[in-house]
Amino acid sequence: MAGAPIISLRGIANRFGPVTVHENLDLDVQPGEVLGLIGGSGSGKSVLLRTILGLRRPQAGDVRVLGVDITRADENARRAVRRQWGVLFQDGALFSSLTVIENIKVPLREFTNLPPDAMDDVAAMKLRMMGLAPEAALKYPSELSGGMRKRAGLARALVMDPAVVFLDEPTAGLDPIGAAAFDALLADLRAALGLTVVMITHDLDSLYAVCDRVAVLAEKRIYAVGTIGELLRVDHPWLREYFTGPRGRRTRGGWRRGRDTLGAVSKGERMEIRASYVLVGVFTLMAVVGALAFILWTAGRGGGVNLVQYDINFTGHVSGLSVANDVLFNGVKVGTVKAITISPTDPGRVKVRIEIAADTPVREDSMASLEARGITGVTVVQISGGTATSPLLKPHDGEDVAVIPAQLSRLEALFAGLPAVVSDGRELIQRIAGMADDENRRTLAQTLQSLDMLTARLAARADAMDRIIGNLDVTTRRLANASAGLEGTTGDMRDYLRTDLRDSTRAVGDMARRMDGLVARAEPGVAKFSGEGLEDMRRLLAEARQLVATLDRLAHKVESDPRRFLFGNPVPEYDAR
């Protein structure tokens, strides 16, 4: 294995009181390998795994995972590393109160902000990768078999697409068929995803099937690391018993079938793994070639479409717009952006050249704007259709291509108006702040205090107010009665004045007419007298006529409003309500 180790342990010491479990332990795990960790019961395999995961702080030594010193890093750094590993505990360690798919989504909820639908999709995909049926997603762990729980636990460990996976006795408790199926699944996943796997196991079949190297934990340290063939040559009692005992011989015999030596077996395993890589690579290459062929076929089908170019001059920024972005005509894609350049004479203007289908009805009153598509922030060019009576847009004299007028999009118009809105808002806030200065607050407080005092005093004198209102009611009724009596008196006076005054006026008028007739008849004789006597008679008649007119007007006023004639302006009436 070449390159820097993905996991590096140096000088690890773990003690529980007077008991020392690990002392001066060193181990390296290379990227992309499956490392099996074996050892006798009580040798500290699980303690070592907890130390690597940062669940236990060793008394001495350094633990580096993905280049981060777990023993000394802060919580943010450890959390960033935890996002890049997955752990399959013994028997799956699923939460019994959650369904399978809810268990798989636990790391997504802890480390990501994906929407719920996206979490469901990712969890369902990992579930299918593990070979579990879709109906298993809604089952609880107690409803699953041991093998299904292991697969569900592995799906949870892989849901974040980790770089490293830790497996603690993954095939323990499984029947031989289930264990073999799990080993095959692990081999396929390692070949397809390029995982680095650290696996604690006692299963010899798993060691032969999927492990590149095996680390032996003995005598409080990593006693030996290597392939199975290399470990067979290590002289250690536990290793000899483990690999050459009855179980070891049967397992080795099955794997030696068709091979000459155990070293060849290990080499054959590596060749098998490399063959898997080759198959995966060939499949990937075929998929890429097929995709390219489809793209070329699609492009060939579209090669017969006639295209035409237009220019659009935008003022201001064109954030999010790139070459090959879509051009839409009334929301329908008709072409793409071919070039974006800044005007050399006007740095504030950006020229965008587009290429669209020639049959697109771009008219002289068509307008172009920039619109953001969805939540992606990708900007597209949007062309409005214009009116049907407008002629099609043609290049002007001296222009290579026609120029479509640009207008502000709704979003740009909103942004353009924001400074004014912000300015008005700032001015309003300043005015409000000015109104709320200390002097105004004191004045308002005094006014409220005065109103409170007035209200309290009015409430204390409620009985007196009731008496005043009652007295006003009595007074109003008395005034109403007096007004009614006055109205009757006024009516009587109206009748009296109308009758007598008209009679008097009529009598004076008759007298005046008689005197006019007398004067007329006597005028010849009277003419013989002096002019002074006649002039006195004429003044007497004029005054008599004026008296008649005055009496007539007086009778009219009395008849229309006798009360006002007698008492002047009417007395204001009071509403008794």
Side-chain angles (χ1 to χ4, degrees), residues 202-273:
H202 288 114
D203 193 337
L204 284 166
D205 287 327
S206 296
L207 294 177
Y208 279 106
V210 297
C211 289
D212 298 310
R213 295 190 305 158
V214 178
V216 181
L217 184 56
E219 300 180 8
K220 304 177 184 180
R221 59 189 176 88
I222 298 297
Y223 188 85
V225 180
T227 65
I228 295 178
E230 293 170 345
L231 294 180
L232 283 173
R233 293 189 289 270
V234 176
D235 186 13
H236 190 276
W238 187 86
L239 277 176
R240 287 197 303 270
E241 183 64 24
Y242 185 80
F243 284 111
T244 62
R247 288 179 178 270
R249 287 195 300 271
R250 284 194 297 270
T251 303
R252 185 179 59 185
W255 284 92
R256 286 186 62 183
R257 194 171 296 118
R259 298 170 174 88
D260 296 330
T261 64
L262 192 58
V265 171
S266 178
K267 182 178 179 181
E269 292 171 0
R270 290 195 297 272
M271 292 177 63
E272 182 179 353
I273 293 171

Side-chain angles (χ1 to χ4, degrees), residues 493-494 497-498 501 554-562 565:
M493 292 182 67
R494 182 191 298 117
L497 291 173
R498 180 185 301 127
L501 192 57
L554 180 62
H556 179 72
K557 288 182 179 180
V558 171
E559 183 179 4
S560 61
D561 193 355
F565 175 76

Side-chain angles (χ1 to χ4, degrees), residues 434-491:
M435 293 176 62
D437 60 7
D438 294 340
E439 183 65 27
N440 287 340
R441 283 197 297 270
R442 284 194 297 269
T443 302
L444 181 60
Q446 293 173 358
T447 303
L448 293 176
Q449 185 178 4
S450 301
L451 287 175
D452 187 35
M453 294 174 59
L454 177 60
T455 304
R457 291 179 179 178
L458 289 176
R461 299 179 177 271
D463 295 338
M465 294 291 293
D466 290 339
R467 289 194 298 271
I468 292 173
I469 294 173
N471 293 336
L472 287 174
D473 188 28
V474 172
T475 302
T476 302
R477 284 196 297 271
R478 290 177 178 175
L479 287 173
N481 294 333
S483 176
L486 182 60
E487 185 69 27
T489 303
T490 303

Side-chain angles (χ1 to χ4, degrees), residues 184-195:
L185 172 65
L186 183 59
D188 292 340
L189 291 174
R190 196 283 291 269
L193 304 177
L195 297 173

Side-chain angles (χ1 to χ4, degrees), residues 1-7 28-33 196 212-213 270 274:
M1 300 286 177
I6 196 169
I7 300 174
D28 287 335
V29 181
Q30 300 298 330
E33 75 169 338
T196 300
D212 298 310
R213 295 190 305 158
R270 290 195 297 272
R274 293 192 187 98

Side-chain angles (χ1 to χ4, degrees), residues 325-337 354-357 359-362 367 369 371 373 380-385:
N325 280 19
D326 293 342
V327 177
L328 309 181
F329 185 85
N330 289 341
V332 179
K333 180 180 177 180
V334 294
T336 57
V337 176
I354 63 173
E355 190 173 64
I356 63 177
D359 58 352
T360 305
V362 179
M367 302 294 290
S369 62
E371 301 290 346
R373 175 174 289 182
V380 299
V381 177
Q382 179 72 256
I383 302 175
S384 60

